[in-house]
Amino acid sequence: KLNNEDVKYEKADELETLRKHRVLIPREFVGIREAVCQATNVPVGDLPFAGELMEVKAEHREWTGAIERLLHQFGVSLLVPERHYIAVSEFINRQHLGLRFTFHRVSSASVSRTDSFGDKTRVAGRLNFRDEHSLAGWVKSEVSRRFNHVCCADVNRLKEVDYGITREGLIRDGPTRHTKDDRRAVNDATNYVLGWSVEDKIRALTAAYEQADKREKKATQKATEAAEQFKKLEAQIKAVEGVLAISAFADIDHES
């Protein structure tokens, strides 16, 4: 578990990456993409993360946390066009990345499904896409195919569908499987990866950094006070030991 100092510097590093690269993707993933691009001479714009090409519509902002949770792993997946596949996969294969990293080989022949995008009750219908990017069509197709979940107002509605999510972050995938990953708060904007506007995440990370800084200072103050208290107790113990070392009155009879 990270201590307050580690959390503070982790948030500081995230903020630096966010301000420098203007993407919501976590810094360790952005670092891997940078290494790939430097080694292969592939432009960064040719290798987007899926999360950079979609965002939750403003009118469905209250569902952002739940949709982010559903799409998080897909959002941090690197998209590799067919023409760059060999160069990118060979580089990644040679490296020890230190984390779980997913990339998709994207064929130019991919056809976008649009059957679910007009349905505002589903996740696909509550997203905007960067249609000007050449890989946006593939992302839309994958969202429609893999994340065609219904946005359910409550568990009663969730019970009626095979694929659905609640605003609190409960996900139903199929007839039996339900998942709720509460390792982070569902509306924790520091964990968001979808979209191209970074201001909300900058504010969230700044607040998290300031909170960690306050906790660190408070912990440091308590540690200092505890050290001072220890010195006092140590002096008292030595005084008691000195008294207990006296075995006879003659030892302290200074007048005689």
Side-chain angles (χ1 to χ4, degrees):
K1 186 177 180 179
L2 297 177
N3 60 34
N4 291 317
E5 184 178 12
D6 291 334
V7 171
K8 186 178 78 170
Y9 288 116
E10 179 188 70
K11 300 305 180 187
D13 289 342
E14 283 286 353
L15 270 170
E16 181 181 359
T17 300
L18 186 58
R19 287 170 173 149
K20 178 181 178 181
H21 297 279
R22 308 299 292 181
V23 297
L24 300 180
I25 306 301
R27 61 186 175 86
E28 58 267 30
F29 293 91
V30 173
I32 291 173
R33 177 171 65 180
E34 280 193 316
V36 169
C37 292
Q38 289 176 2
T40 61
N41 292 319
V42 175
V44 171
D46 284 5
L47 302 177
F49 289 95
E52 295 179 84
L53 303 185
M54 55 183 170
E55 69 173 6
V56 179
K57 293 179 178 179
E59 60 265 35
H60 300 294
R61 187 179 182 86
E62 72 276 11
W63 283 88
T64 299
I67 294 175
E68 282 271 354
R69 180 175 287 187
L70 175 70
L71 296 176
H72 184 89
Q73 289 302 319
F74 180 57
V76 297
S77 300
L78 191 69
L79 307 185
V80 182
E82 183 71 40
R83 65 186 181 280
H84 299 313
Y85 172 70
I86 294 298
V88 172
S89 59
E90 284 184 345
F91 175 80
I92 291 178
N93 183 58
R94 292 193 303 267
Q95 307 304 310
H96 178 74
L97 304 178
L99 50 74
R100 179 182 178 181
F101 190 81
T102 300
F103 68 94
H104 293 275
R105 178 181 181 179
V106 181
S107 170
S108 58
S110 299
V111 178
S112 174
R113 292 177 52 186
T114 60
D115 52 310
S116 60
F117 291 103
D119 186 351
K120 303 303 181 183
T121 68
R122 296 183 181 273
V123 168
R126 298 189 176 192
L127 294 172
N128 286 323
F129 296 87
R130 295 186 71 174
D131 291 326
E132 70 276 12
H133 197 285
S134 60
L135 301 184
W138 184 87
V139 172
K140 293 173 73 173
S141 178
E142 285 296 287
V143 170
S144 180
R145 182 178 68 86
R146 295 172 51 191
F147 305 105
N148 199 22
H149 294 61
V150 176
C151 296
C152 302
D154 52 38
V155 172
N156 287 327
R157 175 57 177 148
L158 188 69
K159 181 181 178 181
E160 298 171 352
V161 300
D162 281 346
Y163 293 87
I165 61 172
T166 66
R167 198 158 50 189
E168 293 76 20
L170 179 59
I171 300 171
R172 178 173 182 175
D173 286 311
T176 64
R177 184 184 181 191
H178 294 67
T179 305
K180 193 165 191 280
D181 185 355
D182 280 338
R183 287 175 294 177
R184 289 176 179 263
V186 68
N187 291 316
D188 180 4
T190 66
N191 198 43
Y192 287 178
V193 298
L194 306 182
W196 38 91
S197 175
V198 300
E199 301 310 319
D200 285 347
K201 190 167 184 176
I202 285 177
R203 283 192 290 269
L205 281 171
T206 300
Y209 172 86
E210 292 172 350
Q211 289 173 4
D213 186 52
K214 289 179 181 178
R215 289 195 296 268
E216 182 194 8
K217 289 177 179 177
K218 189 174 182 179
T220 301
Q221 181 181 356
K222 287 185 176 180
T224 301
E225 293 172 354
E228 292 175 354
Q229 183 68 17
F230 175 79
K231 288 180 181 179
K232 292 179 180 179
L233 292 174
E234 190 176 36
Q236 291 174 359
I237 290 172
K238 287 181 179 179
V240 171
E241 289 175 343
V243 172
L244 294 176
I246 299 171
S247 58
F249 176 72
D251 295 338
I252 59 173
D253 186 8
H254 66 282
E255 291 185 356
S256 300

